[in-house]
Amino acid sequence: MSPHPVGQFPAYRPRRLRQSAALRRLVSENALSVSQLVLPLFVRPGRQVRKAIGAMPGVFQLSLDELLREAARAHGLGVPAVLLFGIPATKDAKASGAYARNGIVQQAVRLLKRELPDLLVITDVCLCEYMSHGHCGIVQVDQRGGKILNDPSLKLLARAAASHAEAGADIVAPSDMMDGRVRAIRAELDRTGFSDTPIMSYAAKFASGFYGPFREAAESTPQFGDRRSYQMNAANANEALREVALDIEEGADIVMVKPALAYLDILYRVKTDFGYPTAAYAVSAEYSMVKAAAANGWIDERAVTLESLLAMRRAGADILITYAACEVAQWLQEK
Ligand code: PBG
């Protein structure tokens, strides 16, 4: 029970403060604001390309021109930041496209920072979209398919992050889950003159079925095996706190929990234990499930989306990464 005195019925009637919208708002403990939202965007080569993602209605792979339009729309609605994922023209076994000076994400960052300088550009730092095998690190082939090598992957991740910073990224966000990558990235950023570029680490990232639709969106499905040798086991909460502690020690400025809705306990503990700026990533299937149920008329899309994001805020999230950022921004304006 609460250590504080609480009233008792009939002196205390909780319904007293629920009688009108204004009263309810006055005593509301948490709130959603457009300033908390981050919109993930997928950029691919080409011109005037808007390739729909089947499982994510309203989400597209966008060529640079279309990306700019979409980013401008988000910016116009007050969404402060986008999170960029790249789909390169070609993939190889050393993820060259991830750190190419003129890679697709690097081009996108330059364009967005030139045209919309006030829009924060966060870049996802990973290798899976650029690797022919779709894994987040370098693979050593063996009889079972392959082993994902940790330490050799760090150099590529650090190079990718520095190339994003060099293009003008405001924040880099490593999502690979290799051990030691935050330290490697921080060192490379500092060495190359980007000691002011913050790192938002996907600190507690779980191996999750909720990433299914994303892999279609980013064309990053592993060609063999799965990601369970590097992403976390869904059963583990204490380990998630150690992952977060490690990333903070290595230099993370913002820590992320991902997925969000099925991991609110982790979010709560991360915020409570560390008090760091904390992001929740409402991942692809969280979005797809709401869209699908709403399309069937089974749920109220707006109510369910806002309630889910509010739950993340209640659990401790400062930053909400969601594919519904533009819709949410519009709903918040209407409220
Ligand atoms: C890349 C990455 C993934 C997501 C974000 N960055 C996919 C994965 O780890 O398989 C998932 C995002 C989503 O589902 O919305 N490593």
Side-chain angles (χ1 to χ4, degrees):
M1 278 306 286
S2 166
H4 310 291
V6 286
Q8 289 196 354
F9 181 81
Y12 179 49
R13 290 177 180 270
R15 289 187 58 196
R16 274 191 206 115
L17 295 178
R18 296 181 197 148
Q19 293 180 82
S20 70
L23 256 181
R24 289 191 292 269
R25 252 198 310 275
L26 191 69
V27 298
S28 171
E29 297 176 27
N30 291 283
L32 289 175
S33 152
V34 69
S35 63
Q36 298 145 355
L37 301 175
V38 177
L39 174 68
L41 290 171
F42 300 95
V43 59
R44 61 169 302 136
R47 282 181 61 84
Q48 296 183 332
V49 182
R50 283 181 77 82
K51 188 166 173 237
I53 312 303
M56 302 177 75
V59 179
F60 302 85
Q61 292 182 355
L62 304 164
S63 53
L64 288 165
D65 48 337
E66 294 289 331
L67 177 85
L68 178 58
R69 286 223 313 215
E70 199 75 13
R73 189 169 83 92
H75 185 52
L77 286 164
V79 174
V82 294
L83 171 60
L84 291 184
F85 294 92
I87 300 109
T90 57
K91 302 175 190 254
D92 58 32
K94 47 186 181 126
S96 315
Y99 42 85
R101 216 192 97 74
N102 227 12
I104 188 66
V105 162
Q106 290 80 356
Q107 290 183 50
V109 173
R110 278 188 213 106
L111 175 70
L112 294 182
K113 289 315 295 180
R114 189 179 71 220
E115 300 296 326
L116 303 166
D118 298 336
L119 178 71
L120 290 171
V121 176
I122 309 172
T123 54
D124 182 89
V125 175
C126 199
L127 305 178
C128 56
E129 297 112 87
Y130 307 90
M131 287 288 201
S132 35
H133 47 65
H135 276 291
C136 304
I138 294 172
V139 165
Q140 186 175 51
V141 180
D142 62 19
Q143 304 92 313
R144 283 166 49 222
K147 184 175 176 216
I148 289 78
L149 301 180
N150 195 87
D151 297 9
S153 302
L154 300 181
K155 196 188 258 173
L156 303 190
L157 290 160
R159 270 180 79 179
S163 77
H164 294 173
E166 207 263 316
D170 295 291
I171 301 176
V172 294
S175 69
D176 52 284
M177 288 299 278
M178 296 300 123
D179 295 334
R181 89 274 208 215
V182 172
R183 185 185 306 279
I185 289 170
R186 184 71 272 157
E188 183 66 4
L189 289 173
D190 291 355
R191 191 185 71 79
T192 50
F194 298 102
S195 53
D196 285 338
T197 302
I199 298 174
M200 174 167 80
S201 80
Y202 290 66
K205 177 176 177 178
F206 290 85
S208 172
F210 288 92
Y211 305 153
F214 172 94
R215 295 189 185 157
E216 177 196 345
E219 300 181 11
S220 66
T221 309
Q223 298 304 300
F224 63 88
D226 54 42
R227 303 208 201 287
R228 283 182 293 182
S229 78
Y230 41 107
Q231 298 180 351
M232 282 194 57
N233 179 347
N236 295 358
N238 292 322
E239 187 193 0
L241 299 183
R242 291 198 295 276
E243 279 280 10
V244 171
L246 201 57
D247 281 10
I248 288 174
E249 276 170 17
E250 291 181 21
D253 301 281
I254 301 170
V255 290
M256 190 198 298
V257 174
K258 175 185 174 195
L261 206 49
Y263 297 84
L264 294 182
D265 58 323
I266 310 290
L267 199 51
Y268 176 77
R269 290 179 66 183
V270 166
K271 186 61 185 182
T272 311
D273 279 20
F274 299 98
Y276 257 59
T278 303
Y281 195 146
V283 300
S284 51
E286 299 184 50
Y287 176 84
S288 301
M289 291 193 304
V290 172
K291 284 285 180 193
N296 276 294
W298 297 338
I299 59 170
D300 176 338
E301 180 175 350
R302 171 181 161 149
V304 169
T305 303
L306 295 177
E307 185 178 332
S308 303
L309 293 172
L310 191 58
M312 294 165 209
R313 290 280 297 150
R314 211 177 55 233
D318 304 294
I319 300 167
L320 304 168
I321 306 172
T322 168
Y323 299 96
C326 286
E327 285 131 300
V328 171
Q330 266 164 340
W331 292 329
L332 293 176
Q333 278 175 9
E334 290 161 16
K335 271 217 299 202

